[in-house]
């Protein structure tokens, strides 16, 4: 009799264990709603993060492009000579109290304290005297007009507006031109931050480099 009871108990316990096992296994075979929702949220978050990363990459590329364009603009000068347009790379050249950007073929030499000459290496009669002057802007304008009158009484104002942009940081400016035979002299005076500068440009019809020299002179920092 004891053996039969033990047998039945054993069978009963076995049935209970099997039932418990089946009950414990069911949830793992069927994911609940919370789990599915969580995965969906993660997918949405990942998608948003990817979109944000793509937008950030696009913005960075646009900024790099803008920076590249700015750099390209600041490393060359476009000028006209004998009715033809040229673009040349520029490099910095240092004077006594300033730095300017020059195109190939030009060199800078000191003339006297406060005065330098930027000259064309093929013909040094084509040149630009650069004076960083310690006097008032109005006094320098008056002196320049007197000098131009000595060169040619028929000197005229020269339109400097096409040469000046916000990038030049020029506060005041004036320019004059005098012609005789196949040569010309252009005087440019400008005030820039803590500098008052006068450029005196000597050019001729053969080379016609006044446009280039003015643009180089206005890069003085």
């Amino acid at each position: 009799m004891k053996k039969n009871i033990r047998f039945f108990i054993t069978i009963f316990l076995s049935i209970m264990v099997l039932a418990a096992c089946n009950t414990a296994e069911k949830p793992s075979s069927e994911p609940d709603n919370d789990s599915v929702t969580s995965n969906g949220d993660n997918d949405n978050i990942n998608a948003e993060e990817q979109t944000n990363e793509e937008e950030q990459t696009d913005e960075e590329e646009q900024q790099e492009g803008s920076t590249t364009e700015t750099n390209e603009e600041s490393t060359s000068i476009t000028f006209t000579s004998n009715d033809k347009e040229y673009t040349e790379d520029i490099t910095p050249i240092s004077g006594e109290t300033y730095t300017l950007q020059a195109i190939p073929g030009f060199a800078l030499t000191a003339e006297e304290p406060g005065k330098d000459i930027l000259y064309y290496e093929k013909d040094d009669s084509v040149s630009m005297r650069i004076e960083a002057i310690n006097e008032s802007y109005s006094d320098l304008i008056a002196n320049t007009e007197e000098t131009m009158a000595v060169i040619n009484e028929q000197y005229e104002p020269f339109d400097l507006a096409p040469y000046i942009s916000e990038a030049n940081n020029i506060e005041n400016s004036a320019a004059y031109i005098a012609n005789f035979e196949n040569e010309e002299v252009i005087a440019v005076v400008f005030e820039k931050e803590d500098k008052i500068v006068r450029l005196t440009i000597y050019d001729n019809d053969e080379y016609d480099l006044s446009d280039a020299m003015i643009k180089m002179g206005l890069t003085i920092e």
Side-chain angles (χ1 to χ4, degrees):
M1 185 67 179
K2 290 181 179 179
K3 290 182 179 180
N4 290 335
I5 293 172
R6 185 181 297 173
F7 176 74
F8 286 123
I9 291 173
T10 302
I11 291 176
F12 177 76
L13 291 175
S14 298
I15 291 170
M16 293 297 292
V17 169
L18 289 172
C21 290
N22 288 335
T23 302
E25 289 175 357
K26 285 181 181 179
S28 63
S29 62
E30 296 179 5
D32 56 26
N33 289 336
D34 289 342
S35 176
V36 173
T37 303
S38 177
N39 289 338
D41 290 342
N42 287 338
D43 290 341
N44 291 335
I45 292 171
N46 290 337
E48 291 176 359
E49 289 178 350
Q50 183 176 357
T51 300
N52 292 337
E53 288 176 358
E54 290 175 354
E55 291 176 352
Q56 184 176 357
T57 300
D58 291 341
E59 290 177 358
E60 290 175 352
E61 288 176 352
Q62 290 175 0
Q63 291 175 355
E64 288 176 0
S66 176
T67 302
T68 301
E69 290 176 3
T70 303
N71 289 338
E72 286 176 355
E73 289 175 0
S74 64
T75 57
S76 65
I77 284 179
T78 299
F79 61 93
T80 301
S81 175
N82 292 318
D83 299 321
K84 292 182 181 180
E85 190 173 87
Y86 301 88
T87 298
E88 297 282 357
D89 291 337
I90 54 178
T91 55
I93 297 179
S94 295
E96 185 178 350
T97 60
Y98 62 87
T99 298
L100 66 79
Q101 305 294 325
I103 64 175
F106 281 84
L108 187 69
T109 184
E111 185 180 44
E112 59 182 84
K115 295 182 182 180
D116 298 322
I117 298 288
L118 183 74
Y119 64 93
Y120 189 45
E121 293 175 317
K122 288 184 178 180
D123 183 349
D124 61 10
S125 68
V126 176
S127 62
M128 176 170 64
R129 176 182 286 111
I130 302 169
E131 300 172 78
I133 298 173
N134 294 321
E135 64 178 272
S136 73
Y137 176 78
S138 58
D139 288 345
L140 184 56
I141 290 294
N143 179 266
T144 301
E145 290 181 344
E146 291 174 2
T147 302
M148 294 300 290
V150 171
I151 295 172
N152 187 336
E153 291 182 356
Q154 303 302 316
Y155 78 92
E156 299 175 349
F158 179 83
D159 185 11
L160 204 59
Y163 294 91
I164 296 177
S165 66
E166 291 182 3
N168 297 130
N169 296 319
I170 291 174
E171 299 169 11
N172 297 297
S173 64
Y176 310 93
I177 183 170
N179 292 289
F180 48 97
E181 297 181 358
N182 66 336
E183 298 180 350
E184 70 179 7
V185 177
I186 299 175
V188 177
V189 179
F190 64 87
E191 185 175 8
K192 187 176 188 177
E193 296 176 348
D194 60 340
K195 292 180 174 61
I196 297 177
V197 178
R198 176 164 62 189
L199 312 173
T200 307
I201 295 163
Y202 302 90
D203 197 12
N204 59 54
D205 292 345
E206 180 182 356
Y207 292 105
D208 188 24
L209 290 169
S210 295
D211 190 46
M213 287 188 280
I214 292 172
K215 289 179 177 179
M216 287 188 283
L218 294 179
T219 67
I220 287 176
E221 297 287 351

